[in-house]
Amino acid sequence: MKETSPLNLYKQLPQTNCKECGEQTCMAFAAGLIARTKKVEDCPPLLKDKKYAKKLAALQSTVAPEVRMVYVGVGDKQLKVGGEDVMYRHQMTFFNKPPFAYDVTDTMDEAKLVERVKKIATWKKFYIGNWERVEMIAIRSVSNDPAKFAACVKKVQETTDYPLILCSFNPAVLKAGLEVAAKARPLVYAANKENWKEVAQLVHDFNVPVVLSVPFDLDGLKSMAVTFESAGIKDIVLDPGTAPNGKQLQESLKSFINLRRAAVEEAQRDIAYPTIALPINAWLTTQDPVRAAYWESVLTAAFVIRGGAIMVKHSIEAHSMMPDMHLRFNIYTDPRKPVQVKPGVHNVGTPNAEVPMFLTTNFALTYYTVESDLGSNGINCYLMSINTDGIGVQASVAGGQLTPQKIKDAFDESGFKWEEQKYPALVLPGMAAKFSGELEELFGGKVKIMVGPEDSGRLGEWMTKMWPPK
Ligand code: SF4
């Protein structure tokens, strides 16, 4: 969506302020369209009343993302792939983080298959207030046997409801997989120069999204995309080739950048589709599993940064997955809004009437650092996070987002009962030490104000020396 002014979108709305969309005004709805918290379909009058047909068409075309959004899977695990509007994150934000798809094969014995699928589907890591997870399973046909592939797809579906990628270049194998799983809207990998006619027919018949694979030939890829689109197949993902090393890796990375640029800066609609990268190809470069897992992680990082919209991977060891999970999380947070936690009083461990109340801001990075330092030192306590619009302690003290009055108001709103505490004491971060005197006054002497360390890593030492207060 190139449009960034709500006023221009407002012109295409009915302008009745009927509130049916859940917003108070059409202007608020227009702002929601830009922020992608609202969809055009959320405005019932625009959809129902024929007199708005022209406005509806204009609005739909204006708000369509520059890179087509492709839906894979169904239900609450359905994934949005692509749908980006900008080349660089700082120009606005990226919206849909690339799902990580971990592979299984149709030659695995059943027990191992089920065990791996369960491992993939249950993997999670808590990071800055979110559970990071794997999102997809890529089922690779190694046997090239339609019956074996169908049985494998069936077993995976019995074990998890994760969205799937069905991987084979053999149309008969793909057909067998689709007969089992088409209702779950899997992504088909892939149509190539040899099989594209049969695969086009299959994805048309089963109404599922498809990857077009034409490695290291962007003109060929474009021409195949045009052919598919002219056949009415629009849910397309592009595979421009993922070389695992050497000069061809350089070419691969350039192709990903060029495809994104063609979509968002040059408005080449016939190639404006999301891309799939195969960091799993790292396993072609070495027999050593540790080196392969490491290189797979490096390739994933390189392709996430270049805008790859799906990553197909193999290594589920923590040392390979964690760096990519963290990188992806940070790239796909909205740079316009710092990551925040809910303001208010939080429990750390099992607090009781004899524990201290620590204070920090609602900037997620600060909050979770303090919380983790408290937790790892075995400190049971309360932790108040003050709403500073997601700004850290030092900057918010300097910028006026954290003030003694704001702290007092936050406690009043929280309803925290100081009188039930044996030692009613509030521990300020060292960087907010200058608020001590004013806070003592604001609390009317009923709460002792203490000053903690500047670095939360030293909270354990601080507790030993300073708690309980004398
Ligand atoms: Fe405006 Fe449509 Fe919302 Fe009604 S439903 S307020 S017409 S945007």
Side-chain angles (χ1 to χ4, degrees), residues 5 33 76 286 409:
S5 158
L33 286 176
D76 61 352
T286 172
D409 292 346

Side-chain angles (χ1 to χ4, degrees), residues 13-21 23 25-26 29 42-45:
L13 291 169
Q15 302 172 19
T16 58
N17 297 338
C18 70
K19 303 188 178 61
E20 280 187 56
C21 56
E23 294 292 348
T25 61
C26 293
F29 183 80
D42 295 336
C43 170

Side-chain angles (χ1 to χ4, degrees), residues 17 41 45 71 85 96 108 136-137 163 165 188 194 200 227 241 268 286-287 298 301 316 331 339 364 394 447:
N17 297 338
E41 296 72 32
Y71 293 86
D85 276 331
N96 299 313
M108 293 172 85
M136 299 182 92
I137 294 180
I165 308 180
V188 167
E194 284 74 45
T227 309
Q268 293 188 39
T286 172
Q287 300 293 316
V298 173
I316 53 174
I331 289 178
V339 195
Q394 193 172 23
V447 176

Side-chain angles (χ1 to χ4, degrees), residues 1 8-14 29-30 33 39-41 43 46 53-64:
M1 170 166 50
N8 290 338
L9 296 187
Y10 172 79
K11 289 176 192 159
Q12 306 297 344
L13 291 169
F29 183 80
L33 286 176
K39 299 193 292 289
V40 174
E41 296 72 32
C43 170
L46 196 59
K54 265 194 177 170
K55 284 189 167 192
L56 174 64
L59 198 59
Q60 274 172 332
S61 117
T62 310
V63 302

Side-chain angles (χ1 to χ4, degrees), residues 126-131 329-330 339-341 363-366 368:
F126 193 70
Y127 181 60
I128 317 186
N130 282 286
W131 285 104
F329 174 90
N330 284 297
V339 195
Q340 302 177 26
V341 295
F363 176 43
L365 260 182
T366 306
Y368 285 108

